[in-house]
Amino acid sequence: SSGDRATRRDATTAQRLTFLAMAPVFALSFQLSIFASTDGARVDRRARRSPGFEWGKFMTRSVANARFKLAPGSGTLAREKRRTVWLCNHRAWSDFFLDIYLTEGRAFTMSRMLVAYAFPLFMVPAMVCGVVFGFKRDAGDKEKLNAALDAHFDAFGGEFAGMVCYPEGTRNVRENSMPLKRGMLRYAHSRKMAVQCVCTARKERVFSSHLTCAERGLALPVYFAEVIHAEDYPDFEDFYNEIRSRWDNAWSAANGVSAAEAESLPDYTPREHVVRCTPRHDAVIVSSALLTVLGVALTWRACSKLL
């Protein structure tokens, strides 16, 4: 509800301090999630938890201590044996790890390459593992982007069942949804993919650069809409209108739950997603150790200048 929404003006001192504490952890989160994992003890390399699942779980559960709560009328995550687009609402930096965990590491997420310049220690291993698909906004040729997405799916041998994208096209913490961009929806329609709208409330309170605040222990209402199959809608406009209708329902259902009401809703815990361990994963583990040392060194240098 609108009364639960955080703004930069009303962020408390505690929320600002929590943000400052979480920011360096987020910057090194992919490396830290590998070191925090107990999955290395598994001898069977054919069934390791996916890097995306490990990272999302580490940030959501260990760092943010956030809990998902099923909003009234919600379904559950689509786990179809076909490529799926999960349409999520974009609220803050926390979206990246919350939505990857919410989709059980089955999806990669799209992110502007600009983020790689802001968080190279996180983005480089995430992109090597395929968890993040980097793209340039206004790159021009949409067919070239679509072909790159196809290649990304193929390159990882079925490790990803789908992708997370943010159809509003920008961060939105307002009370109402913005119009949905058509680009990725046209891609999903042309590839006959499944589409599921997944809206989660109060993600901006978990970790937000825009609001300069973070908060641990929050209950986050989430609503999974019914899956839409592109082949059932030969006309794109019918496909788009159906998505828009289910998106609006999901948005209202998730954001209509107050903080007090959320605590009484049933918990939703994502299932563990396992994949075959690949040389890419091994390379990331080794490089993560080196990047962590570099990150610690840079942090030490920066702090030394401040003292």
Side-chain angles (χ1 to χ4, degrees):
S1 62
S2 59
D4 294 321
R5 292 183 295 120
T7 65
R8 184 188 294 272
R9 183 179 301 173
D10 61 22
T12 66
T13 300
Q15 289 172 334
R16 295 181 186 279
L17 291 175
T18 302
F19 173 83
L20 293 176
M22 284 181 64
V25 176
F26 177 72
L28 283 169
S29 58
F30 211 86
Q31 292 82 9
L32 294 173
S33 71
I34 292 173
F35 296 138
S37 172
T38 59
D39 205 40
R42 295 191 186 190
V43 177
D44 189 355
R45 290 172 58 85
R46 297 170 299 177
R48 297 281 184 90
R49 289 192 289 270
S50 71
F53 179 86
E54 291 281 52
W55 170 64
K57 181 180 179 181
F58 169 74
M59 284 299 299
T60 302
R61 300 279 293 276
S62 300
V63 178
N65 191 31
R67 296 159 291 132
F68 294 123
K69 297 284 190 172
L70 281 180
S74 173
T76 57
L77 181 72
R79 301 183 183 90
E80 301 193 4
K81 294 182 178 179
R82 58 184 297 175
R83 290 182 181 177
T84 303
V85 176
W86 285 283
L87 302 178
C88 300
N89 55 323
H90 187 16
R91 311 286 285 187
W93 279 353
S94 58
D95 296 349
F96 291 111
F97 56 83
L98 291 172
D99 293 332
I100 287 294
Y101 183 47
L102 196 57
T103 54
E104 303 176 345
R106 298 171 182 273
F108 62 85
T109 187
M110 300 180 67
S111 173
R112 287 187 293 165
M113 287 299 295
L114 183 63
V115 179
Y117 299 111
F119 295 103
L121 297 179
F122 154 66
M123 284 287 285
V124 170
M127 291 177 69
V128 170
C129 283
V131 176
V132 172
F133 173 85
F135 71 98
K136 294 181 179 180
R137 178 176 285 185
D138 300 326
D141 190 349
K142 293 182 179 179
E143 286 306 315
K144 186 176 181 180
L145 174 61
N146 292 348
L149 284 168
D150 291 338
H152 190 86
F153 273 115
D154 295 338
F156 290 90
E159 181 174 336
F160 299 105
M163 65 183 190
V164 166
C165 72
Y166 300 99
E168 293 172 285
T170 188
R171 178 184 56 237
N172 176 23
V173 296
R174 291 182 293 185
E175 186 174 357
N176 298 314
S177 171
M178 298 173 65
L180 305 186
K181 302 291 185 181
R182 294 171 180 257
M184 284 300 99
L185 303 185
R186 289 190 184 279
Y187 172 77
H189 188 258
S190 67
R191 269 58 173 180
K192 300 295 187 290
M193 301 172 76
V195 175
Q196 184 177 38
C197 300
V198 182
C199 288
T200 308
R202 289 190 288 282
K203 291 191 289 183
E204 71 276 10
R205 294 182 60 172
V206 175
F207 183 59
S208 171
S209 62
H210 179 65
L211 302 175
T212 321
C213 74
E215 192 171 346
R216 301 184 74 249
L218 292 173
L220 308 177
V222 57
Y223 186 94
F224 295 94
E226 187 178 349
V227 180
I228 301 168
H229 299 105
E231 64 270 20
D232 294 338
Y233 301 86
D235 182 75
F236 173 76
E237 289 303 318
D238 292 339
F239 179 65
Y240 176 86
N241 290 335
E242 185 62 28
I243 289 174
R244 180 75 223 201
S245 174
R246 298 192 190 187
W247 172 269
D248 288 342
N249 289 338
W251 178 283
S252 298
N255 288 286
V257 178
S258 70
E261 292 169 337
E263 292 293 346
S264 63
L265 294 175
D267 292 322
Y268 183 82
T269 303
R271 297 180 187 175
E272 180 179 288
H273 177 53
V274 297
V275 297
R276 179 185 294 273
C277 187
T278 69
R280 285 178 183 264
H281 299 165
D282 294 331
V284 166
I285 291 174
V286 174
S287 63
S288 290
L290 299 176
L291 287 171
T292 300
V293 172
L294 175 61
V296 171
L298 292 174
T299 302
W300 177 264
R301 181 181 178 182
C303 291
S304 298
K305 291 183 177 180
L306 295 175
L307 298 176

